[in-house]
Amino acid sequence: MLKIKDLRVSINNKEILKGISLNVNKGEVHAIMGPNGSGKSTLASVLAGRDIYEITAGTVEYNGKDLLDQAPDVRAKEGIFLGFQYPVEIPGVNMMTFMRTAVNEIRTHRGLEPLSAKAFLALSEERKTLVEIGSRFDGRSVNEGFSGGEKKRNEIYQMAMLEPTLAILDETDSGLDIDALKVVANGVNKLRKPENATIVITHYQRLLDFIIPDFVHVLYNGKIVKSGGKELALELEIRGYDWIKKEQGEN
Amino acid sequence: MELSEVFYTKFSGAYNEFKLEANGQAPFINKWREEGYQRLLLDGIPHKQLEDWKYSDLNKVLDPAFIQLLKKPTYTFRLEDIFRCDVPDLDTQSFTTLDGWYSDTENPLQVLPDGVIIGSFREAALKYPEIVEKYLGQATKTAEDGLSGMNAAFATDGMFIYIPENCVVEVPLQIIDIISAETDLLVNRRNLFVGGKNSVANVVVCDHSLTFQKSFTNSFTEVFTENGAVFNMTMIQNSSNNTSRNSSVFVSQKGRSTATINTISLHGGFIRNNIHVALEGEFAESNLHGLYLGDRNQHVDNFTIVNHKVPDCLSNQKYKGILDDQARGVFTGRVVVSRDAQRTNAFQANNNILLKDTAHVDSKPQLEIYADDVRCSHGATVGQLDTEALFYLRSRGINEKEARMMLMFSFAAEVVDKITVPALKLRITDMVEKRLRGELSRCNHCAINCC
């Protein structure tokens, strides 16, 4: 589904990603871990199409098409979803109007009829239960005044509404207490399907107790320096990142 | 600076002609006109060397060749055939001026069942001289200049509204000002609005143009709110790029009264809005809200002075603008707190979005505080659309154009949401959206081509 080959990315002439290669197939859950500043969020943003980065080398293929060529909204329509580490507050844009516009743009792209207001509301109510948000977002502006936990739940609610093929969750666990973490993880798990894939970006192993990954990759200094199964995450939890840093230093 | 030669020639001839015509009016009107004319001769047209006119050059838009219609013209079209306002459910009572003249000749002044007196300013001065004389010029006298002089000297007509004591006007009163002549025009229009003690009224003023002729409208409005009155006025400016206007609103507020002035500048070549508020009675509240959307070479200049003269008053100012292409925006907001005006609350904010590098805005908030126990804040921002918000919206599948639209619209909504008449708010919301989408903002069923 996703083929990243030797991807190099800079910002302000500073190289952040220094040759990343990664294959993600449908049905798989990949965890990308690594210390702060290793380039995890840059990778997520580049995949979603944030244009502040300069891609200096490499290719990214998504469902057989060049991904880097596509505008962010086209990527979303093609099934890519980014769960933001820091969801953006947008005062004055009503949450439900925003979601309905997004759902209908994506439906139109997929050759489906736009949802009527009534059908949209029914779908929305159903998907809200996944992250247990009730009517808390109704009548509010996008993320405005939301607590940290509400913002993260909102990301998963949006994911549930947009039904992506490839979900990239950037530090979805940061700032969540354990109960909220369970709710969010539970939401993600319920949305897993054999034809979809998920990339979970996280600093801690904690989230991976609830979202079990098939593969774990360690990103350090702009490169994937280690890949393995879910046991790699446990090892990182026990030994910390110093072990990786040391190993890399020795190389 | 006294009136220039070319304008002197124009105005002296016109004034002599107009004086003859004006003889039928009440003596106090003639005196007021004469004083205005002398002021015009003395001060001339404001020019760019004056600090308050630094950014707006009247000499570029006020052409001495523009014609004044000093006698009421006869119109060959029927207004109701071309103009149908469809503010949904607004069910307004509407009144029209054409080229500065009150349009309804047969019924120039009406007394509505609730006692509201509404209609031609000129007629009101004849029928209700005691009211007009009491108020006329009382609010403008604090800042007379060549423009107010020109307006007094040449005001052909305008709107008069008197809301009696304790009267709550249920339906909004809508005033439609239309420029329709087939010549390049100079219009001087005078409005006088009085909200009696504890009265409540909503007034909507819509400016339109029917022609693509050039014009300059010099409009002066005095608003008086007596003790406890609530007066809301929403001005919608939606005229062709060939129109220029100076719109001066002077508000004089007695104790515990609330006056809210919303200025929505959707379209027009050159717009200068002056709002002068004098808070004369304790616990009075002033709200000034403005939204200006400019593109191409449009010029919108909002100039406000809020004068806290007595203690315990509140003033809020919120002006927001979105400027595209080579459009120019100006905001100058002055808050003056007199020495005795303790416990004043005064807030002012001006936010601007520039969609292109070529658009330009000057924002000048000014506070003059002579009292010590006050809460004042002011702030101005100029920026672009928030790129992070834009990316967030696009990452959900919303295309760039629509995402930009949503952000612009939400920016504008903060001002539109201040409009309290729900149906009017809906209507303006719709007009703003159409304007931002680059569609002609005009109402369905209406033949008026506003822009």
Side-chain angles (χ1 to χ4, degrees), chain B residues 226-228 253-258 278-285 308-314 340-344:
Chain B
E226 295 294 349
N227 288 330
Q253 293 186 239
K254 292 280 175 60
R256 296 183 194 275
S257 68
T258 300
L279 297 166
E280 315 262 8
E282 292 170 12
F283 299 100
E285 177 182 334
H308 285 257
K309 296 170 87 169
V310 295
D312 297 304
C313 292
L314 164 68
D340 298 332
Q342 300 297 355
R343 297 172 302 283
T344 285

Side-chain angles (χ1 to χ4, degrees), chain B residues 111-152:
Chain B
V111 180
L112 305 178
D114 50 13
V116 171
I117 308 169
I118 186 164
S120 152
F121 165 80
R122 163 181 286 253
E123 187 75 7
L126 286 172
K127 289 248 178 73
Y128 299 95
E130 69 289 356
I131 301 179
V132 177
E133 188 170 8
K134 181 180 170 191
Y135 291 105
L136 182 66
Q138 292 306 307
T140 48
K141 72 178 176 193
T142 54
E144 297 286 358
D145 64 3
L147 275 182
S148 67
M150 187 213 289
N151 182 269

Side-chain angles (χ1 to χ4, degrees), chain A residues 142-160:
Chain A
V142 177
N143 291 321
E144 192 187 27
F146 287 22
S147 70
E150 283 177 330
K151 282 180 181 166
K152 295 301 171 78
R153 287 175 196 226
N154 189 15
E155 293 297 288
I156 305 306
Y157 157 73
Q158 291 176 42
M159 175 179 157

